[in-house]
Amino acid sequence: MKKALLIISFGTSYQQTRQKNIDACERQLSAAYPDRDLYRAFTSGMIIRKLQKRDGLQVDNPRQALERLVNEGYQDVAIQSLHVINGDEYEKIVSEVSAFSECFQRLVVGTPLLNSFADYQQLLIALENQMPPLAADERVVFMGHGTSHHAFSVYACLDHLMSSLNFPALVGAVESYPEIGHLIIRLGRQAVRKVHLMPLMLVAGDHAINDMASDEPDSWRSQLEAVGISTQSWLQGLGENPLIRQMFVQHLDAALQSDQQEVV
């Protein structure tokens, strides 16, 4: 039986960060399942079109990738999402996959990074592993993407957990709550002198480069420095963290084991 491993991410048009994050995740997942042939798909049509036009690089969207696997005769397909939350992008994947449920003997989808409370706990360990040594008046601020989907609560939940455990970090989101303004107020109350800015995203792409670390007046860096808090930006996506990559491996392994139990 032909087996495939399809790894689906939002994608990025930045070659270097793609190699450091998406490629690294794909390598670690592929090494965990050497009996499966590796395939890639991006959920962002904008990025797919940009890569095709600019670089002549063809990347499938999830539907195209699944059609390709059908045409190439695969019967057992394991899919792992590299998304952080159970939001719109992940729901797109689940919807696309459901349309192909009759096309394969086995079709399994692993959950995003934050899917259970155990994931939150494991993520804190992974994040601590990449954080620099901090003085008493320093904090890390993680920038999440944010979403209009109800899964936006993930960011506030993670931030609350950090606070309850006295973890020296805060979490905000570019496109939803918690907003940077809320974080600035809290940092002021804590008399924080310096903030280390890190993306809470798979890749350090546009949001990390422009909304987080740029000199633009509305960037997080500029807003923090405007109130007297010095900053240091770390353009490192979550995919560069081997502990986070291993979380994706564990999620796919759990999905495969659960599917096997159902089959039995």
Side-chain angles (χ1 to χ4, degrees):
M1 182 186 296
K2 292 184 68 175
K3 295 182 178 183
L5 170 61
L6 173 59
I7 300 177
I8 304 177
S9 63
F10 182 81
T12 180
S13 62
Y14 292 86
Q15 181 179 355
Q16 188 174 30
T17 197
R18 185 171 68 243
Q19 292 170 344
K20 289 181 178 179
N21 295 277
I22 296 176
D23 290 7
C25 288
E26 291 174 346
R27 285 194 301 271
Q28 194 153 333
L29 279 156
S30 185
Y33 302 98
D35 60 331
R36 295 180 178 273
D37 299 326
L38 178 63
Y39 287 81
R40 165 189 288 177
F42 289 169
T43 55
S44 172
M46 177 187 67
I47 289 174
I48 289 172
R49 291 188 295 273
K50 183 173 183 178
L51 291 174
Q52 174 64 39
K53 182 177 180 180
R54 187 192 68 190
D55 305 330
L57 179 62
Q58 178 61 48
V59 179
D60 289 337
N61 62 37
R63 175 172 290 274
Q64 290 169 332
L66 288 163
E67 290 172 346
R68 185 185 301 276
L69 294 174
V70 170
N71 293 334
E72 294 183 6
Y74 286 93
Q75 295 88 37
D76 184 333
V77 178
I79 300 171
Q80 179 56 48
S81 158
L82 298 184
H83 294 86
V84 175
I85 66 173
N86 283 297
D88 290 314
E89 296 298 316
Y90 181 70
E91 288 186 350
K92 287 180 190 176
I93 295 172
V94 173
S95 177
E96 294 283 7
V97 169
S98 65
F100 286 82
S101 59
E102 303 300 320
C103 298
F104 305 99
Q105 293 185 35
R106 190 185 194 196
L107 185 59
V108 171
V109 183
T111 55
L113 188 67
L114 292 174
N115 187 64
S116 68
F117 182 61
D119 291 335
Y120 286 78
Q121 295 173 305
Q122 196 168 353
L123 179 63
L124 291 189
I125 295 171
L127 293 178
E128 186 175 27
N129 189 64
Q130 72 179 52
M131 289 163 55
L134 299 172
D137 58 357
E138 292 182 80
R139 297 290 185 276
V140 173
V141 168
F142 288 99
M143 172 188 271
H145 187 282
T147 177
S148 58
H149 188 278
H150 58 79
F152 83 92
S153 57
V154 163
Y155 302 104
C157 180
L158 181 61
D159 179 69
H160 183 274
L161 180 61
M162 288 178 172
S163 178
S164 68
L165 296 175
N166 293 317
F167 192 83
L170 296 81
V171 177
V174 182
E175 297 184 2
S176 60
Y177 181 84
E179 299 170 339
I180 184 61
H182 295 285
L183 303 189
I184 288 174
I185 292 171
R186 289 168 56 199
L187 291 166
R189 289 172 180 165
Q190 296 173 24
V192 171
R193 173 185 58 85
K194 181 177 181 179
V195 159
H196 297 263
L197 290 165
M198 291 186 172
L200 190 72
M201 308 174 197
L202 183 75
V203 302
D206 272 327
H207 283 304
I209 294 169
N210 298 315
D211 297 318
M212 188 186 83
S214 76
D215 293 327
E216 294 297 318
D218 59 347
S219 75
W220 285 21
R221 172 190 170 190
S222 295
Q223 291 184 63
L224 285 162
E225 292 186 347
V227 297
I229 300 174
S230 66
T231 66
Q232 182 173 348
S233 298
W234 300 77
L235 294 176
Q236 172 183 338
L238 295 178
E240 294 185 48
N241 187 324
L243 296 179
I244 288 175
R245 297 198 298 266
Q246 188 59 30
M247 287 178 67
F248 288 122
V249 174
Q250 292 169 353
H251 285 202
L252 184 54
D253 189 55
L256 287 165
Q257 289 186 23
S258 175
D259 179 72
Q260 187 63 42
Q261 291 169 0
E262 291 176 6
V263 170
V264 173

